[in-house]
Amino acid sequence: MLQFLQISLLFIFPAVVLGLNSDGLSLLALKAAIETDPSGGFNGYIPSELGHLDSLKRLNLASNNFSKPIPARLFNATSLIALDLSRNSLSGPVPAQIGALKDLRHLDLSSNLLNGSLPESLTELDSLVGTLNLSYNIFSGGVPASYGRLPVLVSLDLRHNNLTGKLPQVGSLVNQGPTAFSGNPSLCGFPLEIPCGSSEPIEKRSRGSPKPCRPEPHFAQWG
Ligand SMILES: *[C@@H]1O[C@H](CO)[C@@H](O)[C@H](O)[C@H]1NC(C)=O
Ligand SMILES: *[C@@H]1O[C@H](CO)[C@@H](O)[C@H](O)[C@H]1NC(C)=O
Ligand SMILES: *[C@@H]1O[C@H](CO)[C@@H](O)[C@H](O)[C@H]1NC(C)=O
Ligand SMILES: *[C@@H]1O[C@H](CO)[C@@H](O)[C@H](O)[C@H]1NC(C)=O
Ligand SMILES: *[C@@H]1O[C@H](CO)[C@@H](O)[C@H](O)[C@H]1NC(C)=O
């Protein structure tokens, strides 16, 4: 059973050595989804058939310029413990079905064109450790207070998105350093040195953050 799949620009596709079991058919779907461009780069999409690889433990498709949205059915591959889709051109939202990956320890979706709100279903990934890297995308909206439920062993990298509002001070979110959130010009509150002004949109109240917002100091120039 296929347990490891890493595709890189230098990968020579070994379709001929695969038997046509379901793993082989899933890989043929991947081959069909990949168009090699004249400069040698891949320029395709991630086929949902990869979700049939139910023994797949590690999938690394980083740095390949795959585009289009991430197919929800990819997350039928529930044996995954490491998923790296970073440095592509993936767009659209992260499907909520990612929460099905109960064994997933490492997730890197950085440097894509992913948008929509930060997926709350990531808090269902109970096995995560290390960096949860969502940086360099175009995620918008607030940082969900539910992210405070992420294990303390997880360090967030949410840099360089389009996130807005006040950072919730709950659970493990309290332990994230300012660098986890930098490069989001409309994000405010501790640990960022950007105070939340009154012009900020009023955040949705969430169960996780009962504390009222303390008025933030203003850095006005006097005199
Ligand atoms: C990457 O993919 C995008 C969208 O398909 C395309 O516009 C761009 O030219 C590609 N870049 C490279 C280096 O292949
Ligand atoms: C695969 O995932 C889709 C959407 O997440 C779901 O509807 C479907 O039942 C799943 N199929 C299998 C075989 O698990
Ligand atoms: C997250 O991904 C970005 C871009 O892919 C990378 O530069 C950065 O080092 C990663 N963050 C961490 C903490 O590894
Ligand atoms: C996300 O990007 C797609 C295009 O890739 C766009 O159609 C959609 O409106 C965007 N959604 C949000 C919430 O920005
Ligand atoms: C960032 O979000 C604002 C609204 O909050 C929107 O007007 C703007 O177009 C977004 N920027 C990008 C690059 O998506």
Side-chain angles (χ1 to χ4, degrees), residues 72-73 76 97:
R73 286 169 62 191
N76 283 8
Q97 289 86 344

Side-chain angles (χ1 to χ4, degrees), residues 8-171:
S8 76
L9 294 172
L10 300 175
F11 190 80
I12 309 291
F13 217 88
V16 287
V17 302
L18 291 162
L20 289 182
N21 57 13
S22 64
D23 286 1
L25 290 172
S26 300
L27 291 178
L28 285 178
L30 178 61
K31 187 178 191 302
I34 293 170
E35 305 155 24
T36 24
D37 72 21
S39 61
F42 289 143
N43 212 342
Y45 58 94
I46 299 176
S48 58
E49 284 83 353
L50 286 183
H52 297 322
L53 298 172
D54 53 13
S55 301
L56 190 65
K57 290 194 184 310
R58 297 174 182 275
L59 179 60
N60 184 347
L61 302 178
S63 305
N64 282 304
N65 204 28
F66 283 109
S67 57
K68 308 224 173 95
I70 302 171
R73 286 169 62 191
L74 175 64
F75 306 126
N76 283 8
T78 49
S79 295
L80 280 171
I81 57 173
L83 178 60
D84 187 348
L85 304 180
S86 66
R87 300 168 199 268
N88 284 289
S89 298
L90 299 168
S91 59
V94 175
Q97 289 86 344
I98 196 170
L101 302 182
K102 299 300 181 200
D103 295 333
L104 195 68
R105 294 167 63 81
H106 301 286
L107 177 62
D108 191 346
L109 301 177
S110 64
S111 296
N112 278 292
L113 302 168
L114 299 169
N115 70 358
S117 49
L118 288 176
E120 299 234 21
S121 53
L122 294 187
T123 61
E124 296 162 24
L125 303 177
D126 299 324
S127 303
L128 282 183
V129 290
T131 303
L132 171 53
N133 201 338
L134 304 177
S135 67
Y136 295 92
N137 279 291
I138 36 183
F139 289 114
S140 56
V143 174
S146 61
Y147 276 30
R149 291 205 302 265
L150 287 165
V152 281
L153 290 176
V154 172
S155 60
L156 283 171
D157 190 344
L158 302 179
R159 292 174 302 136
H160 297 276
N161 276 289
N162 198 9
L163 300 170
T164 54
K166 183 177 164 65
L167 280 166
Q169 279 301 294
V170 288

